[in-house]
Amino acid sequence: MRSFLSYLIPLLLLAFDVFASEYHEQLNLKPLPQSSLLASFNFRSNTTLPDFAAHNFRYFPRSLGQILEHVGTRELHLRFSLGRWDAESWGARPWDGTKEGGTGVELWAWLEADTEEEADHKWLTLTNALSGLFCASLNFIDETRTTRPVMSFLPEGDHGAALDRMHLLHGVLPHEIVCTENLTPFLKLLPCKGKAGISSLLDGHKLFDASWQSMAIDIRPICPPGQECVLQIEQTIDMVLDIERSKRPRGNPIPRPLPGHELKCNASKPYHSGDACFPSDFDAGEDWSLDRLFGKSMKGTCLATNTELYPVCINVPHTRDIFATGGATEIKNPDGLSRCYQLSSEEDFSLILPHMSREGDNAKTTADEYVQPGTPLLYAERSFTGHGQEHGGVRSILTNPSPDTEVEFVYMETLPWFMRVYLHTLQARVEGSSGTKDDIIQEIYYRPALDRVRGSQLELRVRIPPASTVFLTYDFEKSILRYTEYPPDANRGFDVAAAIITILPSTSPDAPPALKKASNLRTTSLLLSLPTPDFSMPYNVIIFTSTAIALAFGGLYNILVRRFVGADEGVDATGGLKGKIARLMAKIKGAKGKVD
């Protein structure tokens, strides 16, 4: 028996190592300016294609795998986003923007089908199934909200010859509110279900109180050279926390004025005194810890994760003071800008970053607090122009901050059918460099809308010279809807999906490394005001009509049924029961008079 156990245990350990290499997770922390913190949670698991076909699910979620197999989905990308990324303060987006979506819910997938009708049927089945799985309104992505991008999206997986039979479909719900009921099924897809590892830090109160947050699910086949093809699922949660707000206790979240001795004042102001305080900026730094920001400590590590990958990393200079709880081993990166921690699987973990003094012999500066964010490849903003309830316009401002490198990208807009675009009014104006519309817009793809059938799809391949700003403008007409097509909050307006910008890789040898790979960014969504009828008028009409009918019917009924006779032709008032009683009373009175 002992010899059998000595033979079995190494096999079990070997099997565990093989299985553990199929899943890993990592938390990256990056302090940002203005007392903010970027927390990126990344979970990745793999399963071989033969195991997936045989329904041998290990770390790949079975509930999601069965849906993908049923509808023939070869690649899927799902996004839940809320808030706005402040590129001017926070710099470049995490993951080069490939893990974020527009405000609301965004979904695009490659489906294997022979015809477009079959692809549409599978797309409808996919959206309904994902709607129930993630407690979202994905079933409202109908044909009016579905597009087929031509230039904007490229498959990230290895599909080989099957790419010829694949159809790309894209849908977005900008009005969808992302909340805790979407986070719960997201965590259930993980091996440790949010009970251990970095997922134990995730809490709906903290996640949805962030200044910006995005949840992403990416599923694609990967075929490494010389290895077996695998189906990879990658789940990502990115959030930007306001450190000062996140440190408030959950039992007392309402901000209250600080006492005078706790105020952070800018002493360099000439009017600074005991009764005058000008608030200092965020450069003074903040002290924080993981358990205070997320409301709890990290529950060890997930036993299913690959131990070769460090579970927690933080991007701060080596001069930044950081204290870790017991059982954690710190590994500093040679670049001097980050460090990682190897954790114990049984002990709770937390990081403590104390306040660093800006005065004294060991005074610290802003460079010691955080790593300066990188400059984005492109700045983008979009807004409505014009006034009135009949016509309007859209203006997009795209800025290339690089002084010596041009940027080429694909600009895509998915507009609702009640925004009738006038394509002939499309104009491109460049500032900061000489250029014309033909030099700026390289290619145009436009699919017009059909009323109540499909929306408008506009894709532009644009090239911006270095240190230049491009203004894209066009006009549109607002349609009048049927009163049954308005939502309950019609006076609020209609949400228009964010524009999708795909920055194409540069082929120039002098291009920076960030520009040699594809990246994405989204603009903010827009709020469109349409002519709104007075919804109280049907009620008024119903009341007025009912009153008129009641008066007319009542009068007519009285005329037809009631019998009108003259006073002299009426029945004698002395007859009947009333007359008998009157005669009886008269007799009683007469008899009484005789007695008297």
Side-chain angles (χ1 to χ4, degrees), residues 354-410:
H355 178 75
M356 300 178 65
S357 176
R358 301 300 178 89
E359 302 176 355
D361 298 335
N362 297 324
K364 302 295 183 179
T365 62
T366 304
D368 299 318
E369 292 283 348
Y370 56 85
V371 179
Q372 191 66 25
T375 303
L377 298 176
L378 193 70
Y379 292 100
E381 57 180 288
R382 187 175 63 146
S383 60
F384 280 132
T385 60
H387 58 85
Q389 298 294 330
E390 185 178 0
H391 297 91
V394 175
R395 180 179 63 180
S396 300
I397 304 176
L398 309 165
T399 303
N400 179 11
S402 176
D404 52 6
T405 306
E406 67 176 13
V407 177
E408 185 175 359
F409 60 90
V410 176

Side-chain angles (χ1 to χ4, degrees), residues 159-215:
H159 301 282
L163 192 60
D164 298 334
R165 298 183 63 250
M166 291 166 50
H167 297 259
L168 170 61
L169 291 96
H170 174 271
V172 60
L173 291 174
H175 188 55
E176 181 74 6
I177 303 299
V178 185
C179 57
T180 307
E181 63 184 7
N182 307 124
L183 175 64
T184 302
F186 185 95
L187 295 178
K188 289 184 178 179
L189 300 179
L190 301 175
C192 289
K193 314 294 183 184
K195 304 298 182 181
I198 63 174
S199 61
S200 62
L201 292 174
L202 292 173
D203 178 76
H205 295 86
K206 297 296 183 179
L207 174 61
F208 299 106
D209 189 47
S211 303
W212 174 84
Q213 65 89 12
S214 176
M215 298 190 300

Side-chain angles (χ1 to χ4, degrees), residues 2 53 100 106 112 131 156 249 293 324 401 422 436 440 462 471 481 511 518 552 558 583:
R2 183 175 301 176
E100 71 173 82
E106 186 176 348
E112 190 172 3
S131 176
E156 300 179 6
L293 291 183
Y422 295 148
T436 62
I440 301 302
V462 183
F471 297 84
L481 305 182
N558 286 334
R583 286 194 294 270

Side-chain angles (χ1 to χ4, degrees), residues 377 402-407 466 505-517:
L377 298 176
S402 176
D404 52 6
T405 306
E406 67 176 13
V407 177
S506 176
T507 57
S508 175
D510 300 331
L515 200 55
K516 292 185 178 180
K517 56 184 178 180

Side-chain angles (χ1 to χ4, degrees), residues 6-46:
S6 63
Y7 172 75
L8 181 61
I9 291 176
L11 289 180
L12 294 176
L13 294 177
L14 178 61
F16 178 78
D17 290 337
V18 173
F19 296 159
S21 63
E22 298 179 356
Y23 172 78
H24 72 262
E25 59 185 27
Q26 189 177 55
L27 169 61
N28 284 282
L29 302 171
K30 182 179 180 181
L32 298 174
Q34 297 186 354
S35 184
S36 300
L37 175 69
L38 171 63
S40 298
F41 296 79
N42 182 256
F43 312 90
R44 181 180 299 176
S45 60
N46 303 325

Side-chain angles (χ1 to χ4, degrees), residues 119 126 238 304 362 384 414 469 531:
L126 176 65
D238 299 302
N362 297 324
F384 280 132
T414 302
T469 300

